[in-house]
Amino acid sequence: MFVIACILSLVLIWIFKGKLSEEEPGHGQQTLEVGVLAVRGMLEDIVGPHGLQFFPVVMTFAVLILVSNLMGLFPLFMSPTSATSVTFALGISSFVYYNSIGIKENGLFGHLKHFAGPIWWIAPLIFPIELISNFIRPFSLGIRLFGNMFADEKVMETVSHLAPGKTYWVVPVVLMPLSVFVAFIQTFVFILLSQLYLSEVSHPPHDSHGHDDHAEDDGMEFIAPVLT
């Protein structure tokens, strides 16, 4: 199912890309752009203007997780994110990515140093706690996504079999808007937490404290296209 989700994501992106129009954007394109701009705005607010360089990866997570979550609403499909093997893989991918960014920007020693906190005399206590907390993150990301999507699948299945012939088709259709809401919320939570983790390890390339006139210039270096 996850392989199918990856293929569907690529196909949908290819289809939407072929229908984009700058002169006469349709309602679908405008809705899509609102979602893309919302993710860009989140990155800029949480990480900073330089965080827009991470937009392609964060948006890839968003598209792939959303498609995976929504697949369970269609006959003969199930949500890949209702399996721990998929959600843990996504959590580990996010974990590896933000830690690699931290090491790339700050060096291995600098990246490890931020786990110790700013107060040196309690660093021996804080460092192991923060290090363990960091290693738990991919599992918490995976368990949260799996738990909600698995529960949604089971609720739909249980309710549909309460009275076969009567609830098998009608009730799931009634509950479908709630499932769509859960799919979007879980996508939002995953990318939100991933952005928060990125904000902890990534910092502006130049110290702009006291130099507000350079803030806009720093941000302009990382502007990504609206639709990437």
Side-chain angles (χ1 to χ4, degrees), residues 15-201:
I15 293 174
F16 287 142
K17 185 177 180 180
K19 293 185 177 182
L20 296 181
S21 173
E22 294 184 3
E23 292 77 16
E24 298 180 359
H27 297 296
Q29 178 177 333
Q30 293 179 20
T31 303
L32 179 63
E33 288 182 352
V34 168
V36 172
L37 289 173
V39 175
R40 282 167 50 88
M42 287 172 57
L43 263 174
E44 194 167 5
D45 292 338
I46 295 173
V47 183
H50 70 287
L52 293 178
Q53 62 185 310
F54 309 127
F55 173 79
V57 174
V58 173
M59 198 65 201
T60 298
F61 273 123
V63 172
L64 186 55
I65 294 174
L66 182 60
V67 170
S68 298
N69 291 348
L70 293 174
M71 276 178 60
L73 300 176
F74 297 91
L76 306 177
F77 289 96
M78 65 170 289
S79 298
T81 43
S82 63
T84 54
S85 58
V86 172
T87 58
F88 283 160
L90 291 169
I92 292 172
S93 298
S94 177
F95 171 81
V96 170
Y97 181 68
Y98 79 77
N99 277 288
S100 65
I101 293 298
I103 294 173
K104 179 181 177 181
E105 292 192 7
N106 310 301
L108 180 59
F109 179 76
H111 182 60
L112 292 174
K113 185 180 178 181
H114 97 274
F115 292 120
I119 306 176
W120 66 268
W121 54 273
I122 60 172
L125 176 64
I126 296 298
F127 181 79
I129 295 176
E130 288 295 322
L131 195 62
I132 293 172
S133 174
N134 185 61
F135 279 106
I136 290 176
R137 286 175 177 177
F139 301 101
S140 65
L141 284 172
I143 286 293
R144 182 182 293 105
L145 182 57
F146 159 75
N148 285 279
M149 297 311 302
F150 181 78
D152 181 67
E153 290 267 342
K154 286 301 178 183
V155 167
M156 292 282 285
E157 181 181 352
T158 302
V159 170
S160 64
H161 288 87
L162 287 177
K166 297 180 180 178
T167 60
Y168 193 77
W169 296 104
V170 178
V171 177
V173 172
V174 175
L175 294 177
M176 202 168 286
L178 180 60
S179 297
V180 173
F181 176 74
V182 171
F184 276 91
I185 286 297
Q186 291 310 308
T187 303
F188 170 78
V189 170
F190 190 98
I191 64 172
L192 174 63
L193 291 175
S194 296
Q195 291 176 61
L196 288 173
Y197 300 155
L198 281 169
S199 70
E200 294 177 357
V201 300

